[in-house]
């Protein structure tokens, strides 16, 4: 058979990172590649207990279909969570999703016709790139500075995009501890983003999977909390604060957008899992949620500190810099232009250490001299040893780039 796939599937790409991760899953490798939350943070006993109770005693709500927008007893605590963080989304402006990746897919379906443009950071989260490319969108990259997007470049990119005949539909941002860079936007940049969105009449999609994972410093207001015009759509997830395998998140935004998303979601999955929604309802009702989040933050803070400390001691300094994230799971290393992290990867695997190459996070074909390091899964001892190995790998690579044979 010669399957005649839709035109749009030609734009859909497999994640390079998922392919590379297979390489890094060999035994004895210390991997900073995967961006997964640490299973040690999942409340396993609680979930096992309430799952058994729900399945045995509440099958009508747990094993049955539920509404497309999601269970109200889950949307209510989510609405309160948003409110505590300055965001005003009543339950009827929230739709429960199969975590934020489904939110990205639904946003893409709701807004993007082939050739429409989305403004994204350089770098940006790969899962978002995949979701938008699957709709044949044009992705326009805007450089990220240490405190958020370069807003002059954003304005210029919007103008160029329009001149070239593409319609920009939204700006996609991860303002807190971004994946992959760990960068957090300043309040000024968040306000500036909204001004530009208002002037250009664009939606802002604020993806905030890591927002609750702040370990140090003061919280910066969510973009949605500064929005006075109802143009921000928020993507939220329980993947990093409860358990990623439950596949639970939420999309919140202006009513008109949420209603459109609910209609599209009907065709996608009818509803998000009733069982996992009930587990999350019980989590909010019965668990010490603030204490749990404090535990998670302490857990990752220790690992982040270990990684920053090890980088200071083991990583060559010349022309090399890294971000110092105040939360989340990642930090980002920039090398001199002539060092290509993809070319260096076999050397790293030989030394039994792994990272994620930076280029796939760039929609403009650049970023070959960058890498993402995740501090979530390795132990503190492994972080020390792994960064020690990585320092050696980088030193060797730089030396070999200087040697005449390689030139
Ligand atoms: C920025 C960002 N958005 C969305 C997701 C998707 O996560 P999930 O679908 O588990 O909520 C991730 C996962 O790592 C992410 O880093």
């Amino acid at each position: 058979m010669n399957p005649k796939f839709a035109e749009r599937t030609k734009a859909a790409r497999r994640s390079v990172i998922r392919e590379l991760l297979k390489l890094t899953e060999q035994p004895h490798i210390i991997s900073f590649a995967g961006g997964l939350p640490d299973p040690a943070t999942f409340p396993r006993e609680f979930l096992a207990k309430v799952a058994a109770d729900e399945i045995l005693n509440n099958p009508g709500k747990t094993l049955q279909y539920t509404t497309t927008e999601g269970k109200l007893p889950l949307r209510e605590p989510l609405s309160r969570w948003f409110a505590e963080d300055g965001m005003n989304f009543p339950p009827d402006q929230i739709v429960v999703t199969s975590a934020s990746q489904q939110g990205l897919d639904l946003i893409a379906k709701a807004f993007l016709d082939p050739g429409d443009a989305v403004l994204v950071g350089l770098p940006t989260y790969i899962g978002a790139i995949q979701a938008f490319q699957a709709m044949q969108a044009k992705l326009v990259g805007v450089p990220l500075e240490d405190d958020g997007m370069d807003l002059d470049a954003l304005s210029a990119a919007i103008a160029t995009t329009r001149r070239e005949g593409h319609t920009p539909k939204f700006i996609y941002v991860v303002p807190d501890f971004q994946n992959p860079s760990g960068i957090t936007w300043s309040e000024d940049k968040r306000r500036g983003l909204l001004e530009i969105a208002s002037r250009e009449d664009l939606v802002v999609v604020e993806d905030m999977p890591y927002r609750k994972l702040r370990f140090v410093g003061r919280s910066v207001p969510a973009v949605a909390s500064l929005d006075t015009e109802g143009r921000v759509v928020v993507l939220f997830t329980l993947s990093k604060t409860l358990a990623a395998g439950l596949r639970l998140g939420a999309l919140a935004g202006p009513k008109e957008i949420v209603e459109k998303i609910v209609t599209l979601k009907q065709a996608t999955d009818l509803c998000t899992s009733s069982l996992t929604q009930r587990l999350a309802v019980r989590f909010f009702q019965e668990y010490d949620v603030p204490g749990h989040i404090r535990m998670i933050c302490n857990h990752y803070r220790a690992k982040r500190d270990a990684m920053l400390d090890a980088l200071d001691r083991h990583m060559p300094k010349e022309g090399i810099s890294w971000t110092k994230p105040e939360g989340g799971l990642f930090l980002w290393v920039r090398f001199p232009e002539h060092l290509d992290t993809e070319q260096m990867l076999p050397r790293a695997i030989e030394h039994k250490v792994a990272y994620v190459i930076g280029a796939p996070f760039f929609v403009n074909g650049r970023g070959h001299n960058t890498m993402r390091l995740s501090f979530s899964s390795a132990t503190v001892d492994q972080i020390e040893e792994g960064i020690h190995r990585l320092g050696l790998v980088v030193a060797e690579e730089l030396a070999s780039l200087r040697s005449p044979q390689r030139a």
Side-chain angles (χ1 to χ4, degrees):
M1 202 195 47
N2 176 22
K4 294 175 185 56
F5 291 119
E7 204 48 41
R8 104 183 137 262
T9 63
K10 294 177 190 157
R13 305 235 160 77
R14 282 176 80 96
S15 162
V16 186
I17 288 190
R18 279 187 200 285
E19 301 303 310
L20 281 177
L21 282 182
K22 289 182 197 152
L23 242 175
T24 65
E25 278 160 7
Q26 297 168 14
H28 308 302
I29 288 203
I30 297 178
S31 179
F32 305 128
L36 312 182
D38 190 337
T41 63
F42 302 153
R44 283 179 304 161
E45 278 173 25
F46 174 79
L47 289 173
K49 190 183 73 179
V50 294
D53 183 35
E54 284 290 327
I55 290 169
L56 290 171
N57 302 319
N58 200 7
K61 290 203 172 124
T62 305
L63 300 178
Q64 187 54 281
Y65 293 112
T66 188
T67 55
T68 305
E69 42 275 75
K71 290 183 184 294
L72 187 59
L74 178 54
R75 286 182 287 127
E76 280 167 344
L78 289 173
S79 174
R80 281 197 295 277
W81 248 17
F82 285 131
E84 283 163 18
D85 204 359
M87 290 172 271
N88 179 24
F89 295 119
D92 66 348
Q93 287 180 235
I94 297 176
V95 47
V96 174
T97 56
S98 299
S100 34
Q101 191 62 37
Q102 188 184 42
L104 288 166
D105 178 61
L106 292 170
I107 286 282
K109 284 181 176 150
F111 283 98
L112 300 174
D113 289 316
D116 283 347
V118 182
L119 286 299
V120 300
L122 292 171
T124 206
Y125 166 58
I126 289 195
I129 297 177
Q130 284 183 300
F132 306 153
Q133 277 179 343
M135 292 296 119
Q136 299 168 279
K138 178 180 168 59
L139 299 192
V140 182
V142 181
L144 270 190
E145 300 175 321
D146 288 345
D147 61 346
M149 242 179 211
D150 176 340
L151 294 181
D152 292 336
L154 174 63
S155 293
I158 294 170
T160 310
T161 305
R162 289 200 205 279
R163 256 199 319 278
E164 289 172 353
H166 298 279
T167 308
K169 289 287 179 72
F170 58 86
I171 309 167
Y172 169 72
V173 293
V174 185
D176 294 286
F177 330 120
Q178 191 224 24
N179 177 5
S181 68
I183 283 173
T184 294
W185 290 43
S186 65
E187 183 169 342
D188 279 357
K189 286 230 161 147
R190 294 174 194 229
R191 289 186 187 278
L193 169 72
L194 284 169
E195 274 167 32
I196 294 172
S198 173
R199 191 173 69 225
E200 302 285 349
D201 196 21
L202 295 175
V203 166
V204 173
V205 176
E206 181 178 21
D207 191 3
M208 49 170 72
Y210 308 101
R211 186 163 166 83
K212 296 269 178 199
L213 304 187
R214 172 174 280 280
F215 327 139
V216 289
R218 278 198 19 236
S219 178
V220 187
V223 177
S225 71
L226 302 170
D227 173 26
T228 53
E229 298 177 349
R231 60 174 65 253
V232 179
V233 177
V234 160
L235 301 179
F236 185 72
T237 181
L238 290 172
S239 289
K240 327 288 169 176
T241 40
L242 178 51
L246 297 185
R247 308 308 300 135
L248 278 183
L251 179 151
K255 214 163 179 190
E256 158 187 40
I257 296 181
V258 169
E259 277 167 8
K260 184 68 81 184
I261 295 285
V262 171
T263 310
L264 292 170
K265 190 176 189 304
Q266 284 167 2
T268 300
D269 63 2
L270 301 181
C271 64
T272 293
S273 160
S274 310
L275 172 59
T276 63
Q277 288 192 61
R278 280 298 306 162
L279 300 187
V281 168
R282 299 278 299 266
F283 174 69
F284 280 111
Q285 283 172 351
E286 295 165 32
Y287 212 71
D288 171 14
V289 177
H292 180 65
I293 291 175
R294 268 197 307 278
M295 178 277 287
I296 298 176
C297 287
N298 288 338
H299 186 80
Y300 290 131
R301 184 199 295 115
K303 295 182 181 220
R304 177 207 80 133
D305 289 352
M307 189 172 271
L308 287 176
D309 182 50
L311 280 166
D312 266 340
R313 282 179 291 109
H314 300 307
M315 185 58 79
K317 301 283 171 326
E318 213 167 304
I320 303 175
S321 62
W322 50 88
T323 54
K324 297 179 180 53
E326 296 188 327
L329 306 182
F330 309 104
L331 63 80
W332 186 245
V333 189
R334 296 186 200 94
F335 295 94
E337 269 294 317
H338 61 289
L339 190 150
D340 183 324
T341 54
E342 186 165 4
Q343 269 181 25
M344 187 171 73
L345 192 59
R347 191 190 293 279
I349 301 294
E350 235 171 71
H351 281 73
K352 304 271 181 233
V353 62
Y355 54 81
V356 163
I357 62 169
F361 299 96
F362 284 74
V363 297
N364 65 350
R366 305 204 43 120
H368 58 276
N369 60 328
T370 59
M371 70 167 62
R372 187 189 75 182
L373 296 178
S374 163
F375 47 81
S376 61
S377 301
T379 63
V380 164
D381 287 347
Q382 287 170 333
I383 290 174
E384 169 64 21
E385 175 58 25
I387 296 294
H388 181 222
R389 292 180 195 174
L390 189 60
L392 294 175
V393 168
V394 171
E396 276 182 30
E397 185 74 5
L398 288 170
S400 87
L401 290 170
R402 276 194 296 269
S403 78
Q405 290 97 309
R406 180 88 173 237

